[in-house]
Amino acid sequence: MSKKALVCGAGGFIGGHLVKRLQQEGYWVRGIDLKENEYGNNHADEFVIGDLRDPLISEAAAQGGIDEVYQLAADMGGAGYIFTGEHDADVMHNSVLCNVNMLNAVKNAGIRKIFYSSSACMYPEYNQLDPDNPKCAEDSAYPAAPDSEYGWEKLFSERLYLSYYRNYGIEVRIARFHNIFGPQGTWTGGKEKAPAAMCRKAAEAEDGSFIEVWGDGKQTRSFLYIDECVEAVRRLMDADFTGPVNIGSEEMIAINDFAKMAIEISGKKLSIKNIKGPTGVRGRNSDNKLIREKLNWAPVQTLREGMEATYKWINEQVMLTRKQAETVS
Ligand code: NAD
């Protein structure tokens, strides 16, 4: 009989891709989310529109012989959403309720295993002040000092999951994602992250003009392509290792160079204008020593390859949106 998985946040970017992957592996998948995936990445065998802040809905989602839960539901977005301070109460309240309710639902339904998607945003700001030399090894999390409430909620929830593991014997798997990107992710509207924003800006710009980049552009990051992320999640779930463990790329790049990459891929002549905006920490890179050791995993493709696929998809969305606007007017 095929295994049954519940994917929470299945209407989101990573959730949508994870559902597809689980099905390719022969799982029967139930997805739950506040909404369907807006880009058509809806492949769950059963899709429930439901709010995991409601404990009764979480309990119901965990019924029916589910073997594994993947808890990705969170109130999140890019820097424009989580670093401005304007959404802090919602981010903390909404995400923590999803986690508390799902853990209780898993315990009550007797489900053996749950995956939790934490974030690199839980790492202390003091280790990420030097853009050329950030420290994000898993054991550098304490003394805790994340630079956002989003990061604090992730750190608290990691501890919540570990407590359920210690006290109730639920097998927990915790990953700290570092900037996951790719097609069928949020690309506009304020919740998009840097890779999608760069691609959108380059795709929308007139040849010979410029694109705006938040901050001085010297801040550094690394980005992991969605297929690689899903592969690492599946390996972690099947391994005899709880984590927390980084799932990210070690190919670090300064944000202005990243913008140049998007411009090059677009084939247009564009310049960069650095403007004031929320940027987060000065430097961040994944440290993959632990995941190499424990799961024998490392990304296989370059950032450029992932960005080419992402640009192609976002460019299509931009063209489609323009066409729709022309039809209406
Ligand atoms: P996403 O916003 O596309 O997906 C999250 C989904 O959760 C959304 O579809 C949203 O509607 C759903 N959700 C939110 N509140 C809910 C609720 N109360 N009930 C039901 N569903 C609810 O984000 P994503 O990029 O797919 O991220 C998935 C997970 O990975 C999140 O937990 C996020 O914090 C974590 N993460 C992502 C990244 C990244 O780079 N994308 C990095 C670090 C961590």
Side-chain angles (χ1 to χ4, degrees):
M1 219 173 65
S2 63
K3 273 195 182 175
K4 286 186 168 183
L6 168 67
V7 176
C8 306
F13 166 51
I14 303 173
H17 286 274
L18 180 62
V19 167
K20 219 164 39 186
R21 167 69 190 256
L22 286 166
Q23 285 188 323
Q24 283 162 2
E25 290 187 40
Y27 279 72
W28 179 92
V29 187
R30 175 183 296 146
I32 182 162
D33 202 299
L34 294 169
K35 54 154 184 76
E36 288 198 346
N37 183 279
E38 52 268 61
Y39 310 116
N41 200 5
N42 296 301
H43 301 283
D45 296 280
E46 185 184 309
F47 192 91
V48 182
I49 300 283
D51 189 338
L52 295 167
R53 289 171 299 185
D54 180 337
L56 295 178
I57 290 180
S58 303
E59 293 284 341
Q63 298 305 308
I66 298 289
D67 298 291
E68 294 176 0
V69 175
Y70 294 81
Q71 203 318 72
L72 296 116
D75 193 355
M76 71 96 72
Y81 188 73
I82 57 175
F83 296 136
T84 57
E86 286 163 28
H87 310 282
D88 285 351
D90 284 349
V91 164
M92 295 194 96
H93 170 268
N94 295 341
S95 299
V96 90
L97 281 185
C98 293
N99 289 318
V100 169
N101 289 341
M102 270 328 297
L103 273 166
N104 277 327
V106 161
K107 174 167 83 76
N108 295 338
I111 297 171
R112 206 169 53 85
K113 243 185 192 181
I114 183 165
F115 169 88
Y116 173 55
S117 53
S118 181
S119 162
C121 288
M122 46 59 61
Y123 283 114
E125 187 177 17
Y126 58 77
N127 278 335
Q128 302 172 85
L129 299 174
D130 176 359
D132 298 322
N133 203 15
K135 290 185 197 70
C136 290
E138 286 80 352
D139 59 5
S140 70
Y142 295 95
D147 73 329
S148 66
E149 302 307 338
Y150 170 77
W152 277 105
E153 190 280 327
K154 289 291 189 193
L155 193 58
F156 168 79
S157 289
E158 284 189 5
R159 301 188 70 102
L160 184 70
Y161 280 79
L162 291 171
S163 306
Y164 273 66
Y165 167 57
R166 277 198 304 279
N167 297 163
Y168 299 120
I170 296 166
E171 279 187 57
V172 161
R173 300 287 181 269
I174 302 171
R176 293 173 179 162
F177 290 158
H178 288 244
N179 292 318
I180 314 303
F181 76 103
Q184 295 172 311
T186 306
W187 62 277
T188 187
K191 278 195 165 188
E192 66 278 18
K193 304 182 96 197
M198 299 295 180
C199 291
R200 189 201 69 234
K201 287 174 184 183
E204 286 177 346
E206 293 292 326
D207 212 359
S209 66
F210 62 87
I211 65 171
E212 290 181 341
V213 173
W214 289 347
D216 63 7
K218 292 182 186 142
Q219 67 272 30
T220 53
R221 289 295 184 276
S222 69
F223 303 93
L224 183 71
Y225 193 65
I226 181 66
D227 295 355
E228 313 246 34
C229 168
V230 169
E231 170 66 29
V233 168
R234 287 292 303 119
R235 282 199 200 195
L236 176 59
M237 199 59 162
D238 286 349
D240 187 17
F241 177 55
T242 302
V245 66
N246 291 328
I247 291 186
S249 156
E250 290 179 317
E251 190 184 335
M252 189 170 82
I253 187 166
I255 291 299
N256 268 2
D257 292 334
F258 191 45
K260 276 183 209 152
M261 185 185 280
I263 292 170
E264 261 175 45
I265 293 170
S266 77
K268 298 180 190 173
K269 265 203 154 28
L270 301 171
S271 55
I272 293 171
K273 185 174 173 193
N274 290 105
I275 59 160
K276 266 202 167 147
T279 56
V281 292
R282 283 302 285 162
R284 177 172 291 150
N285 194 10
S286 187
D287 180 327
N288 288 357
K289 188 167 171 279
L290 186 63
I291 198 165
R292 268 195 301 272
E293 260 171 43
K294 297 287 183 186
L295 305 184
N296 192 24
W297 176 87
V300 289
Q301 75 172 26
T302 61
L303 175 60
R304 171 87 190 207
E305 287 168 301
M307 278 297 277
E308 280 170 3
T310 307
Y311 181 84
K312 183 170 177 289
W313 181 79
I314 290 180
N315 193 38
E316 283 163 13
Q317 306 308 305
V318 168
M319 297 302 154
L320 206 69
T321 310
R322 276 193 188 151
K323 225 182 234 160
Q324 283 163 351
E326 279 164 21
T327 322
V328 172
S329 59

